[in-house]
Amino acid sequence: MASKKNYKTLELPPKYTPKKSEPYMCEQQLAYFYQMLMAQKEELMHDSDSVLSAVRLAEKTEAAGVGDDSDNATYEQDITMNLRMSERDNNLLRKIDAALDRIENGTYGYSVVSGDEIGLNRMMARPLATMTVEEQEEYEQRRQ
């Protein structure tokens, strides 16, 4: 059997979807999640460049004194909204990087609390999940 470290270079069949009949977090499943997470990361990094460009443009326009008070309020609102989006994207990037680290160290798909399998259905629905459904519900209850 091939090493699980080959997930970075493994070519999956078109339209591959992890199946319960496969061993949990086998090389193919790791490759699937790795490719999905890397695609999300690349998209977020591209989007964050666009957001920062929009913020810079709004700041330049506002600093240049172009427009009236209403325009300036709109520029400030755009800057605030874009910065919030950028912060949200950065939080998501950190979670994606943490998931990629878990793939690398062999803990992806397993609970950070108990070490139990999170389950394929949950990982397919929430690739950034770090706890089983039960552990997540218990965590949410304690936070309220």
Side-chain angles (χ1 to χ4, degrees), residues 21-74:
S21 60
E22 300 169 328
Y24 187 68
M25 291 301 147
C26 64
E27 185 179 51
Q28 290 83 356
Q29 290 180 6
L30 291 175
Y32 173 85
F33 288 111
Y34 175 78
Q35 291 170 15
M36 179 192 345
L37 292 166
M38 288 301 292
Q40 286 180 351
K41 181 176 178 174
E42 288 173 26
E43 184 178 329
L44 279 171
M45 291 175 75
H46 178 267
D47 289 350
S48 81
D49 288 345
S50 300
V51 168
L52 290 176
S53 294
V55 168
R56 286 189 194 105
L57 178 63
E59 286 175 338
K60 283 180 186 174
T61 306
E62 184 180 22
V66 178
D68 58 15
D69 288 343
S70 176
D71 290 334
N72 289 334
T74 301

Side-chain angles (χ1 to χ4, degrees), residues 2-139:
S3 161
K4 285 192 174 192
K5 293 290 182 188
N6 291 335
Y7 66 86
K8 288 184 180 178
T9 56
L10 183 69
E11 280 198 45
L12 294 171
K15 299 185 181 187
Y16 167 82
T17 305
K19 296 167 201 60
K20 285 187 176 186
S21 60
E22 300 169 328
Y24 187 68
M25 291 301 147
C26 64
E27 185 179 51
Q28 290 83 356
Q29 290 180 6
L30 291 175
Y32 173 85
F33 288 111
Y34 175 78
Q35 291 170 15
M36 179 192 345
L37 292 166
M38 288 301 292
Q40 286 180 351
K41 181 176 178 174
E42 288 173 26
E43 184 178 329
L44 279 171
M45 291 175 75
H46 178 267
D47 289 350
S48 81
D49 288 345
S50 300
V51 168
L52 290 176
S53 294
V55 168
R56 286 189 194 105
L57 178 63
E59 286 175 338
K60 283 180 186 174
T61 306
E62 184 180 22
V66 178
D68 58 15
D69 288 343
S70 176
D71 290 334
N72 289 334
T74 301
Y75 295 140
E76 285 182 32
Q77 192 174 19
D78 287 348
I79 290 169
T80 301
M81 183 187 70
N82 282 317
L83 289 174
R84 280 194 190 123
M85 286 174 40
S86 179
E87 186 177 325
R88 186 200 70 212
D89 289 352
N90 285 334
N91 286 337
L92 190 51
L93 275 172
R94 280 193 292 280
K95 289 180 181 182
I96 290 171
D97 283 338
L100 291 168
D101 287 345
R102 289 192 304 278
I103 290 175
E104 182 67 26
N105 68 30
T107 60
Y108 183 80
Y110 296 89
S111 168
V112 296
V113 175
S114 64
D116 294 342
E117 290 183 4
I118 293 173
L120 195 53
N121 286 344
R122 179 158 168 76
M123 294 309 296
M124 293 290 292
R126 297 191 49 84
L128 300 176
T130 59
M131 293 182 254
T132 65
V133 171
E134 297 80 11
E135 291 166 342
Q136 186 70 42
E137 287 172 353
E138 190 177 309
Y139 173 75

